[in-house]
């Protein structure tokens, strides 16, 4: 009996779901889960950077029955991808079905961010994993050089690194994501998940409300932890507002750490029970 963890993903909306699902994967590693993502590149990234051992791209959540067997277990982060009808079918198909956002909270953070790390950066910018439309690049184009390092996103176009270099004093490769989040005191980011990871590391995130998104999921988490939000018409104004916010930084609430032990025990118990009956199911007369 296999545990699958599904995360909706794509180059146009980043890796927040994948980072969250990978955190759950690592918490449940003893159950030998398989991470499924909407695009194969995200699964490859999770295996190379997020501690995931087994990952596969499946295009859409509707393809899960092609890789799963009846009575398997599913944890899913679909961002509204599954209809009520599909959810009903999944409940019927699976032994256990857990939804991220209800059974498991959206503010779950990988344990790797809980460990202390010496600060390397007073300030840094991580826009997001995605800039498919080159919005952030255009946002920077008319601004002056900032004395700030920029952490690159995963879905930035090849060649954008050189185009962004004139606006920042350092470009940090995406492979340094975890260390950069943990070792930056004041992180400016348009990713809510990165805000939570920064908060869990004992640092002070500031959320940048980007102008290319009509709606942003999980904005309520910023209010929950009192994480401040700023905007700007260009990079110059954004950094100016960033520095002003640092001078008047609010008192944050500590990150809530989700206890996944009950879910883990349910999964382990049913896997153990299945192992005991499997030989009889496989027996051929």
């Amino acid at each position: 009996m296999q545990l699958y963890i599904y995360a909706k993903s794509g180059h146009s909306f980043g890796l927040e779901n994948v980072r969250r699902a990978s955190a759950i994967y690592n918490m449940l590693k003893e159950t030998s889960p398989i991470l499924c993502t909407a695009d194969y590149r995200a699964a490859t990234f999770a295996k190379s950077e997020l501690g995931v051992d087994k990952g596969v791209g499946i295009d859409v959540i509707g393809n899960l029955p092609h890789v799963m067997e009846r009575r398997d277990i599913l944890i899913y982060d679909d961002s509204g991808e599954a209809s009520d009808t599909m959810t009903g079918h999944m409940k019927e198909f699976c032994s256990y079905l857990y939804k991220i956002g209800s059974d498991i909270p959206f503010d779950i953070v990988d344990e790797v961010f809980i460990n202390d790390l010496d600060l390397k950066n007073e300030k840094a910018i991580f826009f997001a994993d995605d800039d498919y439309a080159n919005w952030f690049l255009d946002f920077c184009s008319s601004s002056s050089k900032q004395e700030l390092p920029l952490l690159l996103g995963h879905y930035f176009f090849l060649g954008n690194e050189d185009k962004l270099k004139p606006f920042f004093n350092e470009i940090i490769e995406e492979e340094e994501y975890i260390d950069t989040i943990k070792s930056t005191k004041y992180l400016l980011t348009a990713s809510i998940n990165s805000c939570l990871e920064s908060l869990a590391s004992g640092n002070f995130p500031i959320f940048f409300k980007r102008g290319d998104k009509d709606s942003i999921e999980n904005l309520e988490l910023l209010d929950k932890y009192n994480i401040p939000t700023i905007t700007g018409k260009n990079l110059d104004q954004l950094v100016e507002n960033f520095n002003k916010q640092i001078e008047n930084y609010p008192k944050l609430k500590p990150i809530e750490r989700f206890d996944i032990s009950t879910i883990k025990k349910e999964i382990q118990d049913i896997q153990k029970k299945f192992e005991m009956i499997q030989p009889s199911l496989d027996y051929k007369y």
Side-chain angles (χ1 to χ4, degrees):
M1 181 172 289
Q2 182 66 54
L3 167 63
Y4 291 87
I5 303 174
Y6 173 79
K8 184 178 179 181
S9 60
H11 52 234
S12 62
F13 55 87
L15 292 168
E16 297 214 3
N17 296 347
V18 177
R19 293 187 186 279
R20 190 162 46 237
S22 296
I24 297 167
Y25 180 105
N26 289 323
M27 293 176 185
L28 298 174
K29 218 159 195 176
E30 295 171 48
T31 65
S32 301
I34 295 175
L35 177 68
C36 298
T37 62
D39 62 309
Y40 183 78
R41 182 175 171 182
T44 302
F45 171 79
K47 287 193 286 185
S48 65
E49 302 297 332
L50 301 179
V52 171
D53 298 319
K54 299 177 182 177
V56 61
I58 62 168
D59 293 331
V60 293
I61 195 171
N63 285 338
L64 278 171
H66 300 310
V67 296
M68 297 175 66
E69 294 183 358
R70 185 170 292 275
R71 312 311 299 169
D72 279 337
I73 306 157
L74 176 64
I75 297 172
Y76 69 106
D77 190 340
D78 71 337
S79 299
E81 189 179 2
S83 65
D84 290 343
T85 300
M86 183 181 292
T87 301
H89 290 323
M90 291 193 299
K91 287 180 179 178
E92 180 184 352
F93 189 85
C94 299
S95 293
Y96 286 117
L97 182 68
Y98 305 97
K99 184 173 183 178
I100 301 172
S102 52
D103 302 300
I104 299 171
F106 282 123
D107 51 355
I108 194 166
V109 173
D110 198 297
E111 294 293 320
V112 70
F113 292 100
I114 308 299
N115 301 324
D116 293 334
L117 189 69
D118 292 338
L119 291 177
K120 296 179 182 177
N121 305 306
E122 177 73 10
K123 308 170 189 175
I125 295 179
F126 172 67
F127 172 63
D129 277 303
D130 65 295
D131 189 26
Y132 189 66
N134 278 334
W135 185 88
F136 183 64
L137 182 61
D138 293 340
F139 182 79
C140 297
S141 61
S142 61
S143 297
S144 57
K145 185 171 184 176
Q146 306 296 324
E147 292 302 310
L148 286 170
L150 170 69
L151 175 61
L152 293 176
H154 183 63
Y155 290 115
F156 279 26
F157 279 109
L158 185 66
N160 278 11
E161 177 179 345
D162 290 336
K163 295 176 182 178
L164 287 164
K165 278 182 179 178
F167 307 107
F168 301 94
N169 68 349
E170 181 185 0
I171 299 294
I172 303 174
E173 298 295 334
E174 61 170 304
E175 291 80 8
E176 301 298 319
Y177 176 89
I178 292 175
D179 282 352
T180 302
I181 299 298
K182 291 175 65 176
S183 65
T184 298
K185 185 175 182 180
Y186 294 103
L187 177 74
L188 176 60
T189 177
S191 164
I192 290 178
N193 195 67
S194 297
C195 281
L196 298 175
E197 292 168 341
S198 173
L199 177 62
S201 300
N203 297 317
F204 305 93
I206 295 175
F207 182 71
F208 163 36
K209 193 174 186 303
R210 55 196 287 179
D212 62 333
K213 299 279 187 179
D214 294 330
S215 62
I216 300 172
E217 295 178 347
N218 305 324
L219 272 174
E220 69 280 359
L221 293 177
L222 301 177
D223 291 333
K224 177 179 179 179
Y225 293 109
N226 207 28
I227 297 171
T229 298
I230 62 171
T231 58
K233 64 180 180 181
N234 54 33
L235 181 62
D236 285 337
Q237 188 181 83
L238 178 69
V239 173
E240 181 181 350
N241 293 339
F242 180 38
N243 290 327
K244 287 179 180 177
Q245 184 63 73
I246 289 173
E247 293 174 0
N248 297 281
Y249 199 89
K251 182 175 176 57
L252 298 176
K253 297 176 182 177
I255 192 90
E256 293 181 5
R257 298 178 66 179
F258 179 68
D259 184 359
I260 206 168
S261 59
T262 300
I263 291 175
K264 185 176 183 179
K265 186 177 186 305
E266 286 179 342
I267 294 170
Q268 288 178 321
D269 285 350
I270 196 169
Q271 285 181 330
K272 186 175 181 180
K273 182 178 179 181
F274 185 78
E275 286 175 3
M276 294 174 65
I277 67 171
Q278 183 65 38
S280 62
L281 293 175
D282 290 342
Y283 181 76
K284 295 182 180 180
Y285 293 94

